[in-house]
Amino acid sequence: MKEKLKEHIDNVISLTDDEFSLVLAHFTLEKHKKNDFIIQEGEAVTQCYFVVAGLLKLVHDDQNGKQHIVSFAMEDWWESDFSAYFSQTKAKMSLQCIENTVVYAISLKNYQKLSRESPKMQRFFLEKANSGHIASQNRILSFLTSNAKERYEQLLKQYPLLMQRVPKTLLASYLGVSRETLSRLSS
């Protein structure tokens, strides 16, 4: 498991074995079953997660009880309710396992400590934050400028493996369309 985290970090920065041992000491390994909630809306968000194995969905339930999927996270992706994590407030979203999932969790305290003590890790976290911000802006632009078919095709092109693993009902919610519309788009 730790090899996956090291490889992921090494794609951005290079760490010696000793440096990686120090980094790894700031994380905890967690295993969750399908349908488990890692974060629940309204609770404190104390961790950020690196997905080693499995699949997650970040969701927000509106006042009418409709579930809106904000994002998915699979292997080599980071996920949390980042607003609540960094501001240390209550979650506005829930993070739930779609599959049995293994994650490395890092507390905000350890995240900040690593960033202070290791310029390499500070750079790594900055690169990951920038990538996440860009992906979020691209998703917003997609909703503003693309129709449902174009959003579906973009998702299929960008994340073909994700498309094979996520149930159609969840894909429809993520794309902002009904299950029936998704069936028409995918045929």
Side-chain angles (χ1 to χ4, degrees), residues 8 12 48 58 70-73 76-80 82 86 111 123-141 158-159 174:
H8 178 75
V12 177
C48 169
L58 187 67
V70 176
S71 64
F72 295 106
D76 281 341
W77 293 12
W78 292 82
E79 195 59 90
S80 190
F82 288 108
F86 284 110
Y111 177 99
R123 184 171 149 244
F124 171 79
F125 287 137
L126 179 61
E127 293 275 334
K128 289 294 152 184
N130 287 343
S131 295
H133 186 66
I134 290 166
S136 292
Q137 285 186 340
N138 287 339
R139 179 157 153 73
I140 292 167
L141 281 174
Q158 195 169 10
Y159 304 112
Y174 179 77

Side-chain angles (χ1 to χ4, degrees), residues 79-135:
E79 195 59 90
S80 190
D81 179 333
F82 288 108
S83 176
Y85 175 71
F86 284 110
S87 64
Q88 292 293 274
T89 57
K90 302 288 184 201
K92 293 181 184 148
M93 298 177 275
S94 298
L95 185 60
Q96 187 177 21
C97 300
I98 298 173
E99 302 172 352
N100 290 340
T101 302
V102 179
V103 294
Y104 272 110
I106 186 166
S107 68
L108 182 60
K109 180 181 173 183
N110 280 346
Y111 177 99
Q112 292 169 333
K113 184 174 181 253
L114 264 178
S115 294
R116 275 191 315 272
E117 294 175 358
S118 170
K120 286 182 179 181
M121 285 306 293
Q122 182 180 40
R123 184 171 149 244
F124 171 79
F125 287 137
L126 179 61
E127 293 275 334
K128 289 294 152 184
N130 287 343
S131 295
H133 186 66
I134 290 166

Side-chain angles (χ1 to χ4, degrees), residues 54-56 71-74 77 98-99 155-156 158-167 171 174:
L55 183 61
L56 303 166
S71 64
F72 295 106
M74 60 184 180
W77 293 12
I98 298 173
E99 302 172 352
L155 188 63
L156 185 61
Q158 195 169 10
Y159 304 112
L161 295 176
L162 180 68
M163 297 288 285
Q164 295 170 18
R165 294 169 65 184
V166 174
L171 281 176
Y174 179 77

